Amino acid sequence: MIPVLLAALLAPSTPETVRTTGNPILSDGRYYSTDPAPLVDGDTLWILAGRDEAPDGVNDFIMNEWQLLSTKDPASGVWRHFPAIARPEAVFAWAEPGRAYAGQIVKGRDGRFYLYAPVLQREGDARDRFAIGVAVADRPTGPWRDAHPSGPIISQQTPVANDIQNIDPSVLIDDDGRVYIYWGTFGRLRAMELAPDMVTPKGPEQIVTGATGFFEAPWIMKRRGTYYLLYAANNAGPDSPCTPTLYHACQAYASAPSPMGPWTYRGVVLRPVSSTTSHAGAVEYKGRWYLTYHTADAKGGGHFRRSVAIDPMDWDDSVSPPAIRAVTPSRAPAPPPPPTRNIAPSAWASASNQPVPVQYWIAALNDGKVRSAPLPPDMWGNWTRANPASAWIAYRWPRPVTLNASRIRFFADHPAGAGEGVAPPAAWHLEYWDGGWKPIAGTYPTGTDGFQEVRFRPVTTRCLRAVLEASGSKDRHAGLAVEEWEALSPGIAKPMPRPDAMPPSC
Ligand code: FUB
């Protein structure tokens, strides 16, 4: 029985041809694909990807295996999908199943392929058992075998003691044949030289500085003598060029004249996407550069059900060293959205707690997205250590709109009446602007079981606000949070583009 099981684990999976009309590449929700690492071999562009298998509503990286995509022309939309090319426990005798995080396949000068893979050590007393193993194969699809069977090449114990989470490896073979590995997460970035065998740590392990806002997912590459480090950054704030909120990441980059720096921050390559992470890799293929990254845009997608996308990436060679132009993320054409009475998406949102704390995101109020297990940036909120007795959120339109109903989806992690955490409001009501704020009479439900709807006599206004009374006692109030707030017109709403700038106040 065991050999049969092992054979099944090691057997190459059957590839399938996939035809896309745009991003994400795998979009039907059968296979989610994450953490893309592109590789060019001959006339083929390969993308190594992890696979998210979290059930809907589970916020965790459930990742058991790696998979591959390949194409001979990204513009054709024709890809080959090779599911399940490797699993941690099948390749590394010292690894436990699961947590098949972001890896990279690199073709060595010996013509063989090397898979750098972060996996969990099955045993050991490391505080964090993530470690980086290297496997080798004759082709990207495998079969893969451990190239360093005595254990990982990088862990909290090897080649020197470190206390970081050892994931997200990226490897460069320089023109002189020297090999460098970069890795790290949670703001801690490391680099080290490997021996020309692609496996043996040469050292020393170096702390990389200069990559402003580095959070995770380094991607090393070289172009025209300059070294470039792409990475997921998060230096949140209302004026951040990278991310307005804490959990989202942008893809930023730094450049250096040598593999070990000094690194200079150069800018943002990709703004935050629909998933909190976007883990990117870039490559030149048939004379054109491409950025691969992941989003939550596939059917049923989410922050833990991500899917690989690819878009052209251009260089500005008029500056020295050449700069990467910001990539415009694209999506497959979607059918027109169903008719709706909701005109909130064409409004500008604001709130009483300006600036909104960076774990929340005011734009989530009217982005049309309701998630089964929302994270803080999927909502507006006002939780702090001392919460106010009331708060408001407001919409402002460029011209008057007529409304006769509104629906709010409250978020709570504490029960109704709580004086701590985030709880449903004790009460709420709407007000519209008519030379001053006028209350709107209606019945205002306060549950957290889906949208809470209030209907009212039509009002015509440019500004609407929801005033929320916090639950709790006189001196201690819970915070408030709203995932989505709809403003409904009496009939189907005519599409009205949201202006680029906030319309004048009412
Ligand atoms: O996929 C698991 C982790 O999420 C990766 O290691 C990170 O880069 C982020 O994409």
Side-chain angles (χ1 to χ4, degrees), residues 431-438 460-465 505-506:
E431 297 177 348
Y432 72 106
W433 184 263
D434 183 17
W437 288 111
K438 305 275 166 62
T460 299
T461 185
R462 267 190 53 237
C463 296
L464 180 74
R465 77 176 183 181
S505 61
C506 291

Side-chain angles (χ1 to χ4, degrees), residues 34-35 52 61 63 101-102 167-168 216-217 277-279 294 306:
T34 70
D35 300 326
D52 276 349
F61 294 118
M63 304 176 74
Y101 274 24
I167 64 166
D168 288 1
E216 63 180 4
T277 63
S278 55
H279 194 113
H294 64 222
R306 304 159 294 174

Side-chain angles (χ1 to χ4, degrees), residues 340-344 364-366 368 370 393 395 403-410 428 430 443-445 447 449-456 464 466 468 482-489:
T340 175
R341 292 169 54 209
N342 180 22
I343 50 176
L365 278 180
N366 55 346
V370 172
I393 47 180
Y395 282 151
L403 306 166
N404 71 343
S406 179
R407 308 198 308 156
I408 284 196
R409 196 162 165 129
F410 297 110
W428 65 286
L430 293 171
T443 304
Y444 291 91
D449 52 336
F451 276 105
Q452 309 295 302
E453 181 165 335
V454 55
R455 295 174 191 183
F456 45 87
L464 180 74
L468 316 176
V482 172
E483 291 175 51
E484 192 71 21
W485 176 26
E486 296 183 350
L488 305 179
S489 57

